Amino acid sequence: MANPLRQGMRLSKRIEPCSLVIFGATGDLTQRKLAPALFNLEQQGLLPNGLEIVGFARRDKNDDAFRAEMTDALRHNIRSGGEAALQRFSRRLHYLRGDFNEADAFRRLSDLLFKLAESGRRPAHHLFYLATPPSQYETIAMNLGQTGLAHSASGWTRLIVEKPFGRDLASARSLNARLTAVFQEDQLFRIDHYL
């Protein structure tokens, strides 16, 4: 079904192939909001070939278990004829077990992202989505910076901060200072799905 909000638009911008890393991928936000939104884009043909989705979380599982978990969570969203889109979407999913405080997990993430970019013969574009408790934002950003993932020599890098951005103005400014010590302002996107 065509999106009525896109009708009449002269330009149709599509995302470039990239690796989308969801930190906190086994949580409720991913299953109830992010995965269904991405799957709907898959059904509409708006996800490019070469878009890979990497779930990063602490739970012990592999790619197959993560794919099965996401597929089960999405089944109630499938419109008639959506099974083919679900299979395409499932093939995009990868999983990396790691602790947000563990530098080695971020080195493994770097290796995986390099492998995905090489196998798809595309620039190393990275989109990092923080679907985690706010207490983890700084730790994840620092580890991305220390492993060289905050900036890509052959592509772009973005960081999406989900949920509350600080508890008040002072904590929001403090968090902003810590994030901009690692990422440039044009790399940061702050959103709150409850607004």
Side-chain angles (χ1 to χ4, degrees):
M1 179 162 141
N3 182 341
L5 298 176
R6 294 178 62 92
Q7 291 177 357
M9 292 182 72
R10 291 183 309 135
L11 302 174
S12 179
K13 188 171 183 178
R14 290 177 62 144
I15 189 172
E16 296 177 68
C18 68
S19 294
L20 165 59
V21 178
I22 302 173
F23 290 96
T26 58
D28 187 57
L29 175 63
T30 300
Q31 288 192 2
R32 291 189 330 112
K33 303 263 188 203
L34 299 179
L38 290 165
F39 176 68
N40 285 334
L41 292 173
E42 179 76 60
Q43 284 187 302
Q44 295 173 38
L46 296 175
L47 293 183
N49 294 334
L51 173 75
E52 303 289 344
I53 301 168
V54 177
F56 185 111
R58 293 175 294 213
R59 293 187 186 153
D60 191 19
K61 61 182 73 192
N62 59 24
D63 287 351
D64 291 335
F66 183 62
R67 288 178 181 132
E69 184 178 287
M70 288 296 112
T71 299
D72 288 345
L74 291 169
R75 285 224 183 263
H76 70 279
N77 291 323
I78 298 175
R79 297 181 205 138
S80 177
E83 191 62 35
L86 186 59
Q87 295 306 314
R88 285 192 314 271
F89 184 75
S90 179
R91 287 190 296 270
R92 296 177 185 278
L93 299 175
H94 308 274
Y95 185 80
L96 182 65
R97 188 215 161 276
D99 189 284
F100 304 140
N101 296 305
E102 183 184 319
D104 187 55
F106 285 82
R107 285 189 286 278
R108 291 192 318 270
L109 176 61
S110 181
D111 292 344
L112 175 60
L113 295 178
F114 177 78
K115 184 175 102 177
L116 291 173
E118 286 291 306
S119 68
R121 294 188 179 96
R122 60 172 173 79
H125 299 315
H126 303 133
L127 178 60
F128 299 110
Y129 199 112
L130 303 183
T132 64
S135 61
Q136 298 297 316
Y137 295 165
E138 181 181 2
T139 301
I140 294 169
M142 295 301 156
N143 277 314
L144 289 171
Q146 289 174 356
T147 55
L149 288 170
H151 304 282
S152 173
S154 68
W156 49 258
T157 302
R158 305 287 186 266
L159 180 71
I160 298 175
V161 181
E162 171 69 66
K163 298 182 189 166
F165 195 87
R167 298 171 310 281
D168 53 24
L169 182 58
S171 63
R173 285 181 172 158
S174 175
L175 175 59
N176 194 61
R178 289 177 288 194
L179 294 179
T180 55
V182 179
F183 291 90
Q184 295 175 4
E185 181 59 38
D186 63 353
Q187 294 178 282
L188 291 170
F189 295 83
R190 302 159 186 90
I191 63 171
D192 190 332
H193 63 266
Y194 293 109
L195 292 177

